[in-house]
Amino acid sequence: MAEDYYATLGVGRNASPEEIQKAYRQLARQYHPDLNPDDASSKAKFQAVQTAFDVLNDSQKREMYDRHGSGYEAYGSDGVGSQGWPGGAGAGGPNVNINIEDLLGGGFADLFKNFSQRGKRSPRRPAATRGAHIEQELTVSFDTAVLGGEAQIAVRRPDGNVESIQVKIPAGIESGKKIRLRNQGNPSPTGGTSGDILIQVLVAPHPYFRRQGNRLDLRVPITLAEALAGAKIDVPTPHGTISLSVPPASSSGSKLRVKGHGVKKTGGPAGDLFAELLIVLPADLSAEDRDKLHSVCEVYRDNPREDLQW
């Protein structure tokens, strides 16, 4: 079947050389194999466009094609059968010397050049990936968690070496929270950013203090005399020893609130301290003194369990 080179380029038979070149540039961009690596048909389409352009861009070949069609090479320049085009191997053969970059022009020619050279380059390196994170647990003392401080962790690297890393503990951190040390984890095997170290903080219990958020609770032992008459007593807090006033006739279980002496988180308001009073009788109280106290207390018949129920 005869090929219609004009239809291949999408131009009319009266198209000017400029129109033919313009159509060729557009189709070269569209079908060039280097620009369509995933389209198996692009190579054949590009070759057809190239063949049509080779003929129609040459005025002598175009004249012969217009007279005899795609079999024009069987005729000489005088229209008589011959052995082919003088000095050539046919349309699109090795004697055709078309500079594709000149036809594509401008920045697109540079892009075309990059694509055409891509296959000659060494295999592309894999994309850089981030190094692996390291997860560890760190137990800190109760006072370090409340006041902040520093601790150390030992990190074993992929090469077997153990590295000691200093960790800053923020004031007020709660048990179970995590500290992130950015870019201090394992290095990337592909030259990317190192991973992080993720440290889960566990807080050791305190023998006397308990914590609820920013609130601290403390059971404070007092003597019977201090409970009866009232007193000024010294109480330790995370922020120093304070003097606490015990009201007269205080009972065990009474709670005294000390504002601002609880946990002070970094950048946040301070919690309060609640001191729960605990009356402690003398360990060496004699039988005679017990009787005296009992006789005094017998005068007061209040039932402290009156409201106690299931």
Side-chain angles (χ1 to χ4, degrees):
M1 182 177 178
E3 297 182 57
D4 188 342
Y5 294 153
Y6 291 99
T8 300
L9 295 183
V11 297
R13 301 187 71 85
N14 296 325
S16 66
E18 291 76 15
E19 291 173 331
I20 291 173
Q21 292 180 8
K22 180 179 179 181
Y24 170 70
R25 291 192 185 97
Q26 292 175 344
L27 294 173
R29 293 187 183 97
Q30 183 176 352
Y31 295 124
H32 198 282
D34 285 341
L35 303 181
N36 298 274
D38 299 325
D39 185 358
S41 65
S42 63
K43 182 177 181 180
K45 293 177 182 178
F46 181 79
Q47 288 176 342
V49 169
Q50 183 69 56
T51 299
F53 177 73
D54 289 345
V55 174
L56 300 184
N57 191 52
D58 186 297
S59 59
Q60 191 174 8
K61 290 182 181 181
R62 182 178 179 181
E63 180 182 356
M64 292 294 294
Y65 171 75
D66 289 343
R67 292 170 58 187
H68 304 289
S70 57
Y72 69 92
E73 290 182 317
Y75 299 88
S77 59
D78 56 358
V80 180
S82 67
Q83 298 300 316
W85 200 262
N95 287 337
V96 177
N97 186 14
I98 303 295
N99 190 325
I100 295 179
E101 294 186 22
D102 290 341
L103 290 175
L104 297 181
F108 187 83
D110 296 333
L111 178 63
F112 171 82
K113 183 177 181 180
N114 291 336
F115 273 109
S116 64
Q117 293 179 351
R118 181 173 57 185
K120 303 177 183 178
R121 296 175 181 171
S122 58
R124 182 179 296 177
R125 293 182 179 179
T129 57
R130 192 172 189 189
H133 294 326
I134 299 174
E135 296 191 17
Q136 290 198 191
E137 290 185 350
L138 173 64
T139 300
V140 299
S141 64
F142 190 92
D143 59 321
T144 298
V146 172
L147 299 175
E150 291 186 345
Q152 284 189 336
I153 60 171
V155 176
R156 183 175 294 278
R157 297 300 184 182
D159 59 4
N161 291 327
V162 177
E163 181 181 357
S164 180
I165 298 179
Q166 200 81 0
V167 181
K168 185 176 181 180
I169 309 299
I173 192 169
E174 297 181 59
S175 189
K177 296 295 184 181
K178 289 187 177 182
I179 297 174
R180 181 185 294 268
L181 304 181
R182 296 192 179 277
N183 302 330
Q184 295 192 47
N186 286 331
S188 167
T190 56
T193 306
S194 296
D196 299 336
I197 298 179
L198 304 175
I199 304 170
Q200 184 176 31
V201 177
L202 304 177
V203 180
H206 195 282
Y208 303 108
F209 286 89
R210 298 291 181 270
R211 179 177 175 181
Q212 302 180 55
N214 288 351
R215 167 178 169 171
L216 288 179
D217 291 281
L218 172 66
R219 301 184 73 182
V220 181
I222 60 174
T223 67
L224 180 59
E226 291 170 336
L228 290 172
K232 289 279 189 179
I233 61 174
D234 289 338
V235 176
T237 77
H239 314 293
T241 300
I242 61 171
S243 181
L244 185 64
S245 296
V246 177
S250 292
S251 300
S252 282
S254 299
K255 291 184 178 181
L256 306 179
R257 181 178 184 180
V258 185
K259 291 186 176 182
H261 280 268
V263 179
K264 295 182 179 179
K265 285 187 177 180
T266 303
D272 298 332
L273 170 67
F274 286 81
E276 181 182 353
L277 302 179
L278 177 64
I279 298 174
V280 180
L281 295 176
D284 55 351
L285 188 65
S286 67
E288 182 181 357
D289 288 336
R290 285 200 302 270
D291 291 340
K292 289 179 181 179
L293 289 173
H294 183 265
S295 63
V296 171
C297 293
E298 277 292 302
V299 177
Y300 303 93
R301 292 291 185 175
D302 295 339
N303 181 4
R305 296 174 297 279
E306 182 177 359
D307 297 328
L308 189 63
Q309 57 183 323
W310 178 251

